[in-house]
Amino acid sequence: MRRPRAESTNSSWRLLRENGGLGVAAITYVLVDYLREVSPSWHERLQPALWAALALAALARAPFYRHWSLEIRAALPFLVSLAFLLAALLCEAISVRFVSAVLGLDWHRSASPLPDTGQWLLLALNEKLPQVVVDILRAHIIGLHHYLMLFMMLGFSVLFNSIKAPGLGFATRYLFTLAIGRLLRAITFVSTIFPSVRPWCASSRYQIPPHPHPWAQKYYEPYASDPKAIRRLIQTDTHYAYVKEYPVEYRPDWGRMSFLVDILRPSVSEGSRWYHLLKKASGGCNDLMYSGHMLVAVLTAMAWTEAYGGWTSALIWLLVLHSAQREVRERHHYSVDCIVAVYVGILLWRVTGFIWSAKDTSKAKRLAKLDEVQGRLMHAAKDSDIDELRKLLMEVDLAGQERQSSQWAIWAFAGIATTFLLSCILLAFIWTSDG
């Protein structure tokens, strides 16, 4: 007797997951993208083909996905978390511009990088380890856009029953956690300004004034290097020092956004629009405690470990460690930035488990419903009321099942959601292609 086609298909997908099909696809993507370093010609051929194959696989599987009703209910929280993330990134960009501009270009040129024992260790290992190992540690194997792609692949794998539905619930948790992490990061690095690990960065990236902002002129410059002035400031806890004469600050008319003039500190040559300054902020030219790249990497590894697990989780964590040492080796961050990003990312992912969890909650819902109707069940059993018993048991069974939406709503939502998410993936590739 032949097995029904749907049952055969589901068994195939279960077998694919057990054999690590998603993990193989993820590692294949990373390896194909690494060809840009070793064989650009093959990279140009294989990467578009891989993208097309992944997109077609998702589109082909979408009509057979059984949990679109859950996705519909998860859509609003997903959109809210996406808007929250965009707002957090805007706040972060404003903060990056502030810490880069407030002390002036002369401070960036003269401030020495902080001593970093992690950098010393990596330089010492370069002398001790075999050259092939050093070359592997230096290799640009994985970057920010790879981690974002791994997250997106994990989210879309819900179509193949590789992770627990809803996929938008999983994405909501990831985006919300990332937004909280970026806000905490902005609060952290704007609190105390650290010198850049790359002293030439500000001169090559910004056109900010050479002198400090009036706030820094009054509250920082007079006490920056004079021990006696610092001692007196501690004793009096009051600003008292003489402020030098500096050029007048440029103050464009930004209308309702003029309150940002003191924060963004524009110059005449940088244009007359405030958002132009944010587009140029990039990663900033101060050390930003903690590393945003490492936060994304850790959240991706945590999501992969909880939602999918398997041997690829261990491999992704190894790639996270590789990324961390590269951030320090290439002097994008101090060692402390990467270390803090690791435990902040782990902690935040654990805290936001209430949004989405890989655990099956249907059993818990059935047990809760059973506790609720237990008294009525006992009463119906005593009265030998078979119809009432069936009704109550049906309620218990339905408590663990998802409520179905109308068919037209499911098909409309499936088309809109799939198109929107694939467009987001394309934009993410474009905006993060430079790392």
Side-chain angles (χ1 to χ4, degrees), residues 100-111 199-213 265 285:
S100 298
V102 68
L103 291 173
L105 204 54
D106 288 343
W107 180 84
H108 284 280
R109 291 172 179 151
S110 60
W200 64 87
C201 174
S203 300
S204 62
R205 182 177 294 176
Y206 293 114
Q207 299 173 5
I208 57 179
H211 57 277
H213 185 276
R265 203 184 182 198
C285 276

Side-chain angles (χ1 to χ4, degrees), residues 260-422:
L260 288 175
V261 170
D262 280 320
I263 299 174
L264 300 181
R265 203 184 182 198
S267 63
V268 178
S269 59
E270 288 183 304
S272 58
R273 304 297 182 189
W274 63 272
Y275 49 83
H276 289 163
L277 302 180
L278 299 184
K279 289 167 65 176
K280 297 177 182 178
S282 187
C285 276
N286 295 74
D287 178 66
L288 305 180
M289 165 80 77
Y290 38 88
S291 170
H293 285 61
M294 286 304 302
L295 176 66
V296 172
V298 171
L299 290 181
T300 300
M302 289 295 294
W304 198 282
T305 301
E306 178 175 343
Y308 191 75
W311 59 271
T312 45
S313 296
L315 187 54
I316 290 174
W317 277 109
L318 288 177
L319 291 174
V320 169
L321 295 178
H322 186 276
S323 297
Q325 62 87 30
R326 264 191 55 221
E327 289 287 308
V328 178
R329 181 185 297 276
E330 298 173 6
R331 301 211 169 199
H332 297 295
H333 278 283
Y334 294 109
S335 301
V336 64
D337 301 330
C338 298
I339 294 172
V340 172
V342 170
Y343 62 71
V344 168
I346 293 174
L347 177 63
L348 287 178
W349 185 260
R350 293 296 187 190
V351 168
T352 55
F354 64 93
I355 299 176
W356 178 94
S357 174
K359 297 178 181 178
D360 186 6
T361 58
S362 60
K363 183 177 179 180
K365 291 178 181 179
R366 290 191 182 96
L367 290 174
K369 187 65 177 180
L370 183 61
D371 289 339
E372 180 184 334
V373 301
Q374 184 176 6
R376 294 161 59 191
L377 277 172
M378 296 293 293
H379 185 73
K382 289 180 180 178
D383 294 344
S384 300
D385 190 343
I386 302 300
D387 291 336
E388 182 67 13
L389 283 172
R390 288 175 178 170
K391 178 182 176 182
L392 293 174
L393 291 175
M394 181 66 70
E395 289 181 13
V396 172
D397 186 56
L398 291 176
Q401 299 179 12
E402 60 187 85
R403 290 171 292 177
Q404 295 296 323
S405 303
S406 63
Q407 197 64 31
W408 70 267
I410 289 177
W411 281 107
F413 177 81
I416 294 172
T418 304
T419 303
F420 173 76
L421 292 173
L422 289 176

Side-chain angles (χ1 to χ4, degrees), residues 106-146:
D106 288 343
W107 180 84
H108 284 280
R109 291 172 179 151
S110 60
S112 300
L114 301 175
D116 188 346
T117 53
Q119 294 171 356
W120 305 350
L121 175 62
L122 290 174
L123 290 174
L125 290 176
N126 288 346
E127 301 172 357
K128 303 293 184 181
L129 295 174
Q131 187 59 43
V132 64
V133 177
V134 175
D135 290 340
I136 292 174
L137 294 176
R138 290 172 176 169
H140 292 196
I141 298 174
I142 192 166
L144 174 63
H145 62 288
H146 296 105

